[in-house]
Amino acid sequence: MLETVVESHSKPGHPTPARVLLTLALLLPLFPPPLPAVETLADAWRDALAVDSRLRAADAESDAARATREAARALALPRATASSRYTVLSNEPAARIDFPAIPGIALPSQMPLQERSYATHALQATLPLYTGGRIASAVAAAETGVAASGFERTRSEQAVKLDVAEAYLNVLRARRALRAAEHHLAALDAHAADVAELGKQGLVARNDILSVAVARADATQRLTQAGNAAQLAAAAYNRLLRRPLDAPVDLTEPPIADTAPGDIAALAGRARSQRPELALLGAQADVTDHEADQARAGLRPQVGLSAAAVHEDNRYRVRQDVAQLAVGVEWQLFDGGLLRHQADAARARARAARERQTDAGTLIELEVRREWLATDEAARRLATTETAVGQADENLRVARDRYRNGVGTHTEVLDAEALRSLTDYNHLNALYDLHLARLRLRKAVGEL
């Protein structure tokens, strides 16, 4: 009826709205809406690096370092200044004139040199010719500062990636633990059904019914805790990516690499050459060395060239516009040891930075060794628990069959289920510990 009414108001040869809607309804199942994409760890890194505040701060520090470098380079360029001033004197300047006395003629005893109030306009340019290495040291320090900001940026990026990876794996670990808790409760439910069935036949003691109820209550509590832990892990992951804390999180499982972690000595050598922390400490030492050179340069002569064009409103002058060119030398002969002590302080800071660099190198070697051992341990645990999971399932199956047939005891079933649940947790922890250990080893080597 509706289609007939609509067709009566439509033009011949044109599809009616009802037919269009019907066609869309028939075609819709053929073109389902796209499913949300499953996020990989690489996707998470990309999104986190684009929004993390630590990286934004590091980028700002890099901008500051580059601006400092340009400021240091500008020290070697000419400087031009324009100035104007208006001066009022208490008395009009004059020069004494001693003319020989001439009878009958009154001669002046002084001659004015300048008006009492006047304006002066000047345009001046200066250029440093020799600074004893002060400018070159400032530029070198600024260049090293730019390199140091790059090392700091790399360090921050690797720290962000490791934090995101830990949060990513925590979400997967928590959800896997939630599924294990659900599986544990389901197994207890199945056993409770067996106990209830045997209870109807009067074949079990009331103690069996009570103990399985207590076990189920404990499993329910653990399931609640696991659910909350999974939600909290997802919220922590969303926070790192600057998303709403309750945003949906759909992550893919990372593949397990079959390759061995490598030789410890080779990894430690790569870490010493690649870790940004070591390069950063070295750059900081170089910067303070250049600062020491810059301070000592102040003890040497400073030579500069200056040129100026000056206009002075003075009616007593023949030419009110004057141009001048000068070469000046300034040499600070005594400053109480100020510059020398400043240079010594900078040298001491450089030595301190290099000592910290040496200590950091040994700590990095220890970190590489620790993460290498953690990777090897997790791999061994994973191999062991993979076998244990199958054995625990089989042990539970046998215990339940024995109980159903009146051969085994209720306690054997509960113990077998507890052992199987523990094996599940050991397996999932070994799996994600291995993922995390491999990432931490890459971070320790400086390759994350």
Side-chain angles (χ1 to χ4, degrees), residues 14-265:
H14 290 272
T16 64
R19 288 179 177 176
V20 172
L21 293 176
L22 180 60
T23 303
L24 292 177
L26 293 176
L27 293 178
L28 188 59
L30 302 178
F31 301 95
L35 297 176
V38 179
E39 195 167 37
T40 65
L41 182 56
D43 297 332
W45 280 344
R46 183 195 63 236
D47 294 345
L49 294 178
V51 299
D52 191 86
S53 298
R54 285 171 289 179
L55 291 181
R56 291 181 179 179
D59 290 337
E61 292 291 345
S62 297
D63 293 340
R66 286 189 288 269
T68 302
R69 178 187 60 190
E70 297 306 316
R73 290 175 176 175
L75 294 174
L77 300 178
R79 297 185 184 182
T81 58
S83 61
S84 295
R85 65 184 181 187
Y86 187 80
T87 306
V88 179
L89 304 176
S90 60
N91 297 300
E92 189 175 71
R96 185 185 301 277
I97 303 175
D98 292 329
F99 288 112
I102 300 177
I105 302 177
L107 297 176
S109 60
Q110 61 182 13
M111 180 179 65
L113 298 177
Q114 195 170 17
E115 297 181 75
R116 183 170 172 269
S117 60
Y118 60 93
T120 304
H121 311 283
L123 181 63
Q124 185 176 13
T126 59
L127 177 66
L129 299 179
Y130 175 76
T131 61
R134 179 175 56 85
I135 295 178
S137 298
V139 172
E143 290 281 1
T144 308
V146 172
S149 68
F151 299 139
E152 177 62 27
R153 212 273 182 190
T154 302
R155 187 196 66 80
S156 299
E157 180 177 333
Q158 292 186 357
V160 170
K161 292 177 72 174
L162 184 59
D163 289 346
V164 171
E166 290 180 350
Y168 185 100
L169 293 175
N170 282 341
V171 172
L172 296 176
R173 187 195 301 261
R175 290 181 175 178
R176 187 81 168 264
L178 176 60
R179 292 196 296 271
E182 292 172 345
H183 188 192
H184 178 55
L185 181 58
L188 290 177
D189 287 340
H191 178 58
D194 292 341
V195 173
E197 182 63 28
L198 294 176
K200 293 178 182 179
Q201 303 173 20
L203 300 178
V204 296
R206 178 171 173 76
N207 182 61
D208 290 356
I209 299 175
L210 294 176
S211 61
V212 76
V214 172
R216 287 187 69 258
D218 180 70
T220 302
Q221 175 183 335
R222 293 187 181 185
L223 178 61
T224 302
Q225 293 173 340
N228 291 339
Q231 293 186 30
L232 184 59
Y237 174 78
N238 282 327
R239 187 195 71 84
L240 286 178
L241 274 66
R242 300 296 185 269
R243 296 171 180 171
L245 297 184
D246 57 351
V249 176
D250 191 7
L251 307 180
T252 184
E253 289 280 346
I256 301 178
D258 297 330
T259 58
D263 181 66
I264 293 182

Side-chain angles (χ1 to χ4, degrees), residues 263-275 278 361 364-366 368-369 444-445:
D263 181 66
I264 293 182
L267 292 174
R270 280 154 54 188
R272 280 189 168 274
S273 63
Q274 296 178 160
R275 280 292 288 267
L278 291 179
I364 285 174
E365 288 186 0
L366 180 61
V368 170
R369 182 173 295 272
V445 178

Side-chain angles (χ1 to χ4, degrees), residues 319-354:
R319 293 184 177 87
Q320 295 185 354
D321 295 321
V322 177
Q324 64 182 28
L325 181 66
V327 176
V329 179
E330 181 180 350
W331 195 349
Q332 186 167 261
L333 300 178
F334 180 74
D335 64 351
L338 173 64
L339 294 177
R340 179 172 59 83
H341 291 314
Q342 288 178 345
D344 291 343
R347 295 291 187 198
R349 290 195 299 271
R351 291 197 306 273
R354 290 193 170 88

